[in-house]
Amino acid sequence: MGNLCSKRAAVSDDTKWLSEPASNTDRGVLPVTSADLASSAPLSTSSNSLLGHTAARSCATSVCSRLQCIFAPVIDSLDQQLAANNAALTWPALQLVQLQAFICKNLTAGDAPETVSNLLAVLYTLALAAPTAVAGTVVTHSPAINRLTGILSIVLSNQDVTGAAESWRQWQQLADAVGFHPRYSSVVLTPASKAVLLQLEAAAKSASVRTVRLQVHRTLVFADACATLLLKEPSQLSAGPCVIGPVFLPSSPDNTSSQSSSSHSMQPASHAHSIQAISHASTSNAWQSDVNRQSSSGCGCVAEEEAHAAAVGSDADVSDGSPVLREEGEGRGPRKEFFAAVGAGISAGNSTEALFVYNHSAACYWYNTQQSPTGHRQQQYRVAGWLAGQALHNRAPLGIPLAPLLWQKATLQTLQDFDPVMGQTLRRVLQSGGPDLAALLQLEGLSQGTSAEAYVQAAVQQICVEDVVWQFTSFAQGFCAAVSLDLLQRYLVTPIDLAEMVSGSSNSWRNVDAIQHVFHVVQDRQLQQEYATLSKCLWEVVNGWDMELKQQFVLFVTGSRRLPQPHTELLQVQLPFVAFDRRDHANMLSRLPQVPADASPYAM
């Protein structure tokens, strides 16, 4: 293990929070002290005293049941209204003002905002007193509140990102009307729900949320993004939240094997023509209008005159003058595909090439310690950190399980959570003494006066910090340029939350019997009224496929093999479009049907 008592490598102040924060406020794990709670909570109780896990869990469950009784009937009623597809309320056209009006109208008079706020404050207090006992309980037993943020996610997907400030103002009005204190309510939110609110607030408070359009080959997404961001527009890496607008170019014959481990992930399934009745709600052909509003300089942006030639099957010139085919389409679907390809790119290759390597003991990805700290590698880690932050803002996960330790303080417990084998080994060192410890110290060339505690602390520091100091520093610089640490603290985002937000849930397919039950499915009236049997047959066929084919289907429709959080995305089922000529037919086979032209070009 080397001389563990040697001088520790320094970590820059602006990134130190990721590996060894000085306090809870630096790492985003319930960043409030008991004194803060006593001065801010509206309850004068003795709740700051430490509670037994059983008592805390029982109390939290009771409070969550009360909150569920308040909100579940309202959300159920809203779902029924929207499922009816009447003229007053429809999923594709739902607005925040309508959502606020419906919820406020249907909440019972006895459930005043003060009641909800006080219930949430109790949960918040319990979470501070017994976080390990309460955290999972409150999220598990608060589905209605998380369903509400899921509806918010769908509403935001119908709106242009330029309207984020107004959307944020409307959401705050709704939160005030129902008693959602920002800090207290974060205790009951899932990582996916926190990501929705964090993205909205970040966009609303940013001076300008710019669209960064990147031309990439599907098999070289991360390499192409690095080249563009570092060589053409390095200033993009300090731009805060951005909307990533990928433009997919055909794979070069010479590069088809350059990123072989990621090439499987993003191509639409070969059976695309057989499911053209499916349309993902966040995909829109109206994106060209947004391109025309953007500057065409830098960051691989598509020039204004090229925008109208970006459709599949048309030619457009690139810098070398050769004609290429670009894939038309914009929205969360292409962004999901882009970020999943980024995740594949940073973990692709052998042990000397990949930025992150899989740790089998931890079942997640960690920095590659086999690389040398060249300037190019450091820049790659910086871009990877920036794109990880933008994955959070775009709510498009990387699709690889990154270790929560990337954002955690280095302790023996966090090391053991990351690497159980190494953690157990070091715990045995703590329990050893006498001849065993002396022999270990002699083997390591350390002073015989070194205590077991000092040895273990130095080992943790070396494994979690020193061995990856340059990778960590570069990655953190990129991530912190994209994500506000204040916002992470505001929403009580833990390192485990953050890893799930950036990586995506690993259990998306578990216990899923019917794909259509994961989405809010919207059918056009003609299909619903005249061809109900066709719709029924569609889902019988899809749900009868094996797992691989189901994942290919979801990949084609949404841009990712992973299912979204339940009921946070729309899936529109439409009657097939009729092709009138060969060009229409080629376009129809190459892309999903698009949402109406008046839909927003850039959904949040």
Side-chain angles (χ1 to χ4, degrees):
M1 190 174 292
N3 188 350
L4 298 176
C5 294
S6 62
K7 183 178 180 180
R8 304 298 159 220
V11 180
S12 60
D13 292 338
D14 60 336
T15 58
K16 189 174 182 179
W17 73 280
L18 283 170
S19 70
E20 48 177 2
S23 66
N24 282 343
T25 56
D26 290 325
R27 62 181 178 180
V29 184
L30 291 177
V32 177
T33 65
S34 298
D36 295 330
L37 178 65
S39 63
S40 61
L43 304 177
S44 56
T45 67
S46 59
S47 53
N48 285 333
S49 62
L50 293 178
L51 302 175
H53 281 199
T54 302
R57 186 179 294 110
S58 177
C59 183
T61 301
S62 298
V63 175
C64 289
S65 297
R66 174 60 179 145
L67 287 170
Q68 186 70 5
C69 289
I70 292 173
F71 287 102
V74 181
I75 304 302
D76 288 341
S77 177
L78 178 60
D79 276 342
Q80 293 171 3
Q81 292 282 334
L82 290 166
N85 201 23
N86 57 47
L89 286 175
T90 62
W91 279 115
L94 184 63
Q95 300 293 318
L96 265 174
V97 290
Q98 294 175 298
L99 181 62
Q100 177 184 350
F102 185 93
I103 291 178
C104 292
K105 177 181 177 181
N106 288 275
L107 279 177
T108 61
D111 299 321
E114 293 78 9
T115 302
V116 174
S117 181
N118 282 344
L119 289 171
L120 291 172
V122 170
L123 292 177
Y124 178 80
T125 304
L126 291 171
L128 287 180
T132 57
V134 173
T137 301
V138 295
V139 171
T140 302
H141 292 81
S142 306
I145 292 178
N146 286 288
R147 284 170 63 195
L148 177 58
T149 58
I151 294 172
L152 173 65
S153 174
I154 293 175
V155 172
L156 295 179
S157 71
N158 297 331
Q159 299 180 1
D160 195 309
V161 70
T162 57
E166 178 61 19
S167 296
W168 174 243
R169 185 188 66 80
Q170 293 174 356
W171 168 253
Q172 286 184 307
Q173 290 179 343
L174 173 57
D176 291 341
V178 300
F180 282 176
H181 185 283
R183 186 175 293 276
Y184 300 157
S185 59
S186 294
V187 178
V188 302
L189 298 180
T190 63
S193 295
K194 292 179 182 180
V196 172
L197 298 180
L198 191 150
Q199 180 209 24
L200 175 58
E201 184 170 354
K205 295 185 175 180
S206 176
S208 174
V209 179
R210 294 179 298 130
T211 297
V212 177
R213 188 169 297 282
L214 299 172
Q215 293 187 18
V216 294
H217 297 86
R218 274 193 165 89
T219 55
L220 297 168
V221 169
F222 180 67
D224 289 348
C226 273
T228 297
L229 292 169
L230 293 175
L231 299 180
K232 296 183 179 180
E233 281 291 331
S235 62
Q236 295 283 0
L237 296 186
S238 59
C242 297
V243 174
I244 302 297
V247 177
F248 293 106
L249 304 175
S251 297
S252 169
D254 297 332
N255 294 329
T256 53
S257 62
S258 299
Q259 194 173 308
S260 57
S261 62
S262 66
S263 62
H264 70 279
S265 58
M266 298 305 112
Q267 290 289 358
S270 59
H271 58 278
H273 60 278
S274 67
I275 57 172
Q276 41 180 273
I278 302 299
S279 172
H280 191 244
S282 62
T283 306
S284 171
N285 64 350
W287 68 279
Q288 290 95 333
S289 60
D290 191 87
V291 173
N292 294 337
R293 294 195 300 267
Q294 303 295 328
S295 168
S296 62
S297 63
C299 74
C301 295
V302 180
E304 182 174 335
E305 63 270 20
E306 294 179 331
H308 299 289
V312 171
S314 64
D315 293 340
D317 293 333
V318 290
S319 57
D320 62 359
S322 60
V324 299
L325 301 180
R326 290 192 177 90
E327 179 174 329
E328 181 184 17
E330 192 50 80
R332 287 196 65 201
R335 287 203 294 273
K336 279 185 175 183
E337 180 177 351
F338 171 84
F339 281 104
V342 168
I346 63 177
S347 58
N350 56 41
S351 60
T352 61
E353 296 175 351
L355 299 186
F356 294 86
V357 293
Y358 191 73
N359 183 305
H360 290 276
S361 178
C364 57
Y365 284 85
W366 179 244
Y367 298 116
N368 189 347
T369 58
Q370 303 301 313
Q371 294 181 339
S372 300
T374 65
H376 176 64
R377 286 298 188 193
Q378 290 174 323
Q379 293 284 51
Q380 283 186 315
Y381 274 105
R382 189 162 68 94
V383 172
W386 187 82
L387 288 173
Q390 297 304 336
L392 192 156
H393 287 306
N394 287 263
R395 286 189 292 124
L398 298 181
I400 60 170
L402 292 174
L405 187 59
L406 291 174
W407 296 279
Q408 278 178 312
K409 180 180 180 180
T411 67
L412 178 56
Q413 184 57 54
T414 56
L415 175 60
Q416 184 167 346
D417 292 340
F418 166 68
D419 190 335
V421 175
M422 179 59 69
Q424 287 295 335
T425 299
L426 292 178
R427 287 197 182 278
R428 284 196 291 270
V429 172
L430 282 177
Q431 298 168 0
S432 67
D436 292 338
L437 179 60
L440 177 62
L441 295 175
Q442 183 178 5
L443 179 65
E444 295 283 350
L446 302 176
S447 168
Q448 290 296 313
T450 303
S451 66
E453 291 78 9
Y455 178 92
V456 169
Q457 183 178 2
V460 170
Q461 181 75 358
Q462 178 166 323
I463 295 170
C464 299
V465 179
E466 291 185 9
D467 286 352
V468 296
V469 64
W470 69 267
Q471 297 97 322
F472 154 72
T473 302
S474 300
F475 182 85
Q477 286 174 346
F479 188 85
C480 292
V483 179
S484 166
L485 306 189
D486 290 339
L487 277 184
L488 296 181
Q489 294 165 15
R490 175 181 174 83
Y491 290 101
L492 309 182
V493 176
T494 68
I496 294 176
D497 289 342
L498 195 53
E500 183 172 330
M501 290 178 183
V502 173
S503 302
S505 173
S506 60
N507 299 320
S508 63
W509 285 96
R510 185 171 295 177
N511 300 322
V512 174
D513 297 323
I515 292 177
Q516 70 270 29
H517 294 162
V518 178
F519 299 87
H520 283 293
V521 177
V522 179
Q523 303 180 89
D524 63 39
R525 290 180 181 273
Q526 187 178 10
L527 179 62
Q528 192 173 20
Q529 296 173 2
E530 301 179 24
Y531 302 97
T533 302
L534 178 61
S535 176
K536 180 181 178 181
C537 291
L538 168 68
W539 294 116
E540 286 180 353
V541 170
V542 170
N543 292 317
W545 289 337
D546 60 27
M547 182 60 69
E548 173 62 24
L549 204 52
K550 286 180 181 177
Q551 291 182 350
Q552 289 277 11
F553 170 80
V554 171
L555 168 64
F556 182 86
V557 173
T558 71
S560 172
R561 289 176 177 265
R562 293 172 180 262
L563 289 172
Q565 291 294 317
H567 308 299
T568 60
E569 295 188 18
L570 293 184
L571 199 64
Q572 293 194 68
V573 184
Q574 304 169 335
L575 286 175
F577 172 76
V578 178
F580 292 100
D581 55 30
R582 181 172 297 181
R583 181 184 176 87
D584 284 347
H585 184 66
N587 284 345
M588 186 173 64
L589 295 180
S590 302
R591 59 187 173 92
L592 293 172
Q594 307 295 295
V595 298
D598 58 352
S600 69
Y602 279 104
M604 291 185 286

PDB file of all heavy atoms in Angstrom, residues 1 17 84 106 130 188 204 215 237 363 406 440 446 496 504 588:
ATOM      1  N   MET A   1       0.826  -1.211   0.000  1.00  0.00           N
ATOM      2  CA  MET A   1       0.000   0.000   0.000  1.00  0.00           C
ATOM      3  C   MET A   1       0.855   1.254   0.000  1.00  0.00           C
ATOM      4  O   MET A   1       0.377   2.363  -0.113  1.00  0.00           O
ATOM      5  CB  MET A   1      -0.941  -0.025   1.205  1.00  0.00           C
ATOM      6  CG  MET A   1      -2.014   1.054   1.189  1.00  0.00           C
ATOM      7  SD  MET A   1      -3.175   0.862   2.538  1.00  0.00           S
ATOM      8  CE  MET A   1      -3.997  -0.643   2.070  1.00  0.00           C
ATOM      9  N   TRP A  17     -15.212  19.678  -1.688  1.00  0.00           N
ATOM     10  CA  TRP A  17     -16.485  19.185  -1.153  1.00  0.00           C
ATOM     11  C   TRP A  17     -16.816  17.784  -1.635  1.00  0.00           C
ATOM     12  O   TRP A  17     -17.528  17.042  -0.971  1.00  0.00           O
ATOM     13  CB  TRP A  17     -17.619  20.126  -1.554  1.00  0.00           C
ATOM     14  CG  TRP A  17     -17.984  20.029  -2.988  1.00  0.00           C
ATOM     15  CD1 TRP A  17     -17.352  20.607  -4.046  1.00  0.00           C
ATOM     16  CD2 TRP A  17     -19.061  19.281  -3.548  1.00  0.00           C
ATOM     17  NE1 TRP A  17     -17.956  20.276  -5.210  1.00  0.00           N
ATOM     18  CE2 TRP A  17     -19.014  19.477  -4.942  1.00  0.00           C
ATOM     19  CE3 TRP A  17     -20.068  18.471  -3.013  1.00  0.00           C
ATOM     20  CZ2 TRP A  17     -19.931  18.883  -5.803  1.00  0.00           C
ATOM     21  CZ3 TRP A  17     -20.976  17.892  -3.872  1.00  0.00           C
ATOM     22  CH2 TRP A  17     -20.899  18.102  -5.244  1.00  0.00           C
ATOM     23  N   ALA A  84     -59.569  10.787 -19.308  1.00  0.00           N
ATOM     24  CA  ALA A  84     -60.812  10.906 -20.076  1.00  0.00           C
ATOM     25  C   ALA A  84     -60.602  11.660 -21.376  1.00  0.00           C
ATOM     26  O   ALA A  84     -61.450  11.615 -22.271  1.00  0.00           O
ATOM     27  CB  ALA A  84     -61.877  11.592 -19.228  1.00  0.00           C
ATOM     28  N   ASN A 106     -59.747  20.967  -5.253  1.00  0.00           N
ATOM     29  CA  ASN A 106     -60.141  19.654  -4.768  1.00  0.00           C
ATOM     30  C   ASN A 106     -59.558  19.277  -3.408  1.00  0.00           C
ATOM     31  O   ASN A 106     -59.955  18.259  -2.839  1.00  0.00           O
ATOM     32  CB  ASN A 106     -59.747  18.589  -5.798  1.00  0.00           C
ATOM     33  CG  ASN A 106     -60.613  18.630  -7.037  1.00  0.00           C
ATOM     34  OD1 ASN A 106     -61.694  18.049  -7.083  1.00  0.00           O
ATOM     35  ND2 ASN A 106     -60.152  19.349  -8.058  1.00  0.00           N
ATOM     36  N   ALA A 130     -33.039  10.703  13.024  1.00  0.00           N
ATOM     37  CA  ALA A 130     -32.745   9.300  12.711  1.00  0.00           C
ATOM     38  C   ALA A 130     -32.786   9.103  11.205  1.00  0.00           C
ATOM     39  O   ALA A 130     -33.695   8.472  10.667  1.00  0.00           O
ATOM     40  CB  ALA A 130     -33.755   8.388  13.407  1.00  0.00           C
ATOM     41  N   VAL A 188     -39.417  14.055   1.480  1.00  0.00           N
ATOM     42  CA  VAL A 188     -40.290  13.000   0.974  1.00  0.00           C
ATOM     43  C   VAL A 188     -40.108  12.754  -0.516  1.00  0.00           C
ATOM     44  O   VAL A 188     -40.798  11.918  -1.090  1.00  0.00           O
ATOM     45  CB  VAL A 188     -41.776  13.330   1.258  1.00  0.00           C
ATOM     46  CG1 VAL A 188     -42.007  13.519   2.738  1.00  0.00           C
ATOM     47  CG2 VAL A 188     -42.225  14.567   0.488  1.00  0.00           C
ATOM     48  N   ALA A 204     -34.656  28.494 -14.172  1.00  0.00           N
ATOM     49  CA  ALA A 204     -35.349  29.755 -13.880  1.00  0.00           C
ATOM     50  C   ALA A 204     -34.398  30.823 -13.362  1.00  0.00           C
ATOM     51  O   ALA A 204     -34.555  32.008 -13.667  1.00  0.00           O
ATOM     52  CB  ALA A 204     -36.463  29.511 -12.866  1.00  0.00           C
ATOM     53  N   GLN A 215     -22.631  18.196 -32.944  1.00  0.00           N
ATOM     54  CA  GLN A 215     -22.664  17.206 -34.011  1.00  0.00           C
ATOM     55  C   GLN A 215     -21.790  16.019 -33.603  1.00  0.00           C
ATOM     56  O   GLN A 215     -20.598  16.181 -33.340  1.00  0.00           O
ATOM     57  CB  GLN A 215     -22.152  17.808 -35.318  1.00  0.00           C
ATOM     58  CG  GLN A 215     -23.051  18.888 -35.903  1.00  0.00           C
ATOM     59  CD  GLN A 215     -22.586  19.328 -37.266  1.00  0.00           C
ATOM     60  OE1 GLN A 215     -21.811  18.640 -37.922  1.00  0.00           O
ATOM     61  NE2 GLN A 215     -23.049  20.490 -37.695  1.00  0.00           N
ATOM     62  N   LEU A 237     -17.836  25.135 -21.056  1.00  0.00           N
ATOM     63  CA  LEU A 237     -17.757  24.324 -19.848  1.00  0.00           C
ATOM     64  C   LEU A 237     -18.010  25.123 -18.581  1.00  0.00           C
ATOM     65  O   LEU A 237     -18.038  24.551 -17.494  1.00  0.00           O
ATOM     66  CB  LEU A 237     -16.388  23.640 -19.771  1.00  0.00           C
ATOM     67  CG  LEU A 237     -16.082  22.633 -20.887  1.00  0.00           C
ATOM     68  CD1 LEU A 237     -14.768  21.931 -20.625  1.00  0.00           C
ATOM     69  CD2 LEU A 237     -17.204  21.618 -21.028  1.00  0.00           C
ATOM     70  N   ALA A 363     -19.946  -3.023  -7.634  1.00  0.00           N
ATOM     71  CA  ALA A 363     -20.991  -3.061  -8.671  1.00  0.00           C
ATOM     72  C   ALA A 363     -21.295  -1.664  -9.206  1.00  0.00           C
ATOM     73  O   ALA A 363     -22.441  -1.294  -9.442  1.00  0.00           O
ATOM     74  CB  ALA A 363     -22.269  -3.717  -8.141  1.00  0.00           C
ATOM     75  N   LEU A 406     -18.048   9.165  -5.508  1.00  0.00           N
ATOM     76  CA  LEU A 406     -17.561  10.311  -6.280  1.00  0.00           C
ATOM     77  C   LEU A 406     -17.935  11.620  -5.610  1.00  0.00           C
ATOM     78  O   LEU A 406     -17.279  12.643  -5.814  1.00  0.00           O
ATOM     79  CB  LEU A 406     -18.160  10.282  -7.690  1.00  0.00           C
ATOM     80  CG  LEU A 406     -17.705   9.166  -8.640  1.00  0.00           C
ATOM     81  CD1 LEU A 406     -18.515   9.216  -9.921  1.00  0.00           C
ATOM     82  CD2 LEU A 406     -16.232   9.297  -8.935  1.00  0.00           C
ATOM     83  N   LEU A 440       2.278  -6.129  10.137  1.00  0.00           N
ATOM     84  CA  LEU A 440       1.741  -5.355   9.028  1.00  0.00           C
ATOM     85  C   LEU A 440       2.514  -4.052   8.852  1.00  0.00           C
ATOM     86  O   LEU A 440       2.858  -3.662   7.729  1.00  0.00           O
ATOM     87  CB  LEU A 440       0.260  -5.059   9.268  1.00  0.00           C
ATOM     88  CG  LEU A 440      -0.434  -4.202   8.220  1.00  0.00           C
ATOM     89  CD1 LEU A 440      -0.427  -4.891   6.858  1.00  0.00           C
ATOM     90  CD2 LEU A 440      -1.886  -3.901   8.640  1.00  0.00           C
ATOM     91  N   LEU A 446       6.374   1.058   7.863  1.00  0.00           N
ATOM     92  CA  LEU A 446       5.885   2.165   8.686  1.00  0.00           C
ATOM     93  C   LEU A 446       6.442   2.069  10.096  1.00  0.00           C
ATOM     94  O   LEU A 446       6.901   1.019  10.550  1.00  0.00           O
ATOM     95  CB  LEU A 446       4.352   2.155   8.727  1.00  0.00           C
ATOM     96  CG  LEU A 446       3.641   2.247   7.382  1.00  0.00           C
ATOM     97  CD1 LEU A 446       2.127   2.135   7.559  1.00  0.00           C
ATOM     98  CD2 LEU A 446       3.996   3.553   6.677  1.00  0.00           C
ATOM     99  N   ILE A 496     -26.001   9.548  -2.632  1.00  0.00           N
ATOM    100  CA  ILE A 496     -26.730   8.443  -3.263  1.00  0.00           C
ATOM    101  C   ILE A 496     -27.788   8.990  -4.210  1.00  0.00           C
ATOM    102  O   ILE A 496     -27.989   8.476  -5.321  1.00  0.00           O
ATOM    103  CB  ILE A 496     -27.355   7.539  -2.189  1.00  0.00           C
ATOM    104  CG1 ILE A 496     -26.251   6.845  -1.380  1.00  0.00           C
ATOM    105  CG2 ILE A 496     -28.280   6.495  -2.819  1.00  0.00           C
ATOM    106  CD1 ILE A 496     -26.759   6.006  -0.228  1.00  0.00           C
ATOM    107  N   GLY A 504     -29.063   7.263 -13.362  1.00  0.00           N
ATOM    108  CA  GLY A 504     -30.341   6.640 -13.654  1.00  0.00           C
ATOM    109  C   GLY A 504     -30.593   5.478 -12.708  1.00  0.00           C
ATOM    110  O   GLY A 504     -29.664   4.896 -12.138  1.00  0.00           O
ATOM    111  N   MET A 588     -40.613   8.280 -42.886  1.00  0.00           N
ATOM    112  CA  MET A 588     -41.468   7.572 -41.942  1.00  0.00           C
ATOM    113  C   MET A 588     -40.752   6.362 -41.348  1.00  0.00           C
ATOM    114  O   MET A 588     -40.906   6.046 -40.167  1.00  0.00           O
ATOM    115  CB  MET A 588     -42.756   7.137 -42.640  1.00  0.00           C
ATOM    116  CG  MET A 588     -43.792   6.507 -41.717  1.00  0.00           C
ATOM    117  SD  MET A 588     -45.349   6.208 -42.568  1.00  0.00           S
ATOM    118  CE  MET A 588     -44.821   5.002 -43.778  1.00  0.00           C
TER     119      MET A 588
END
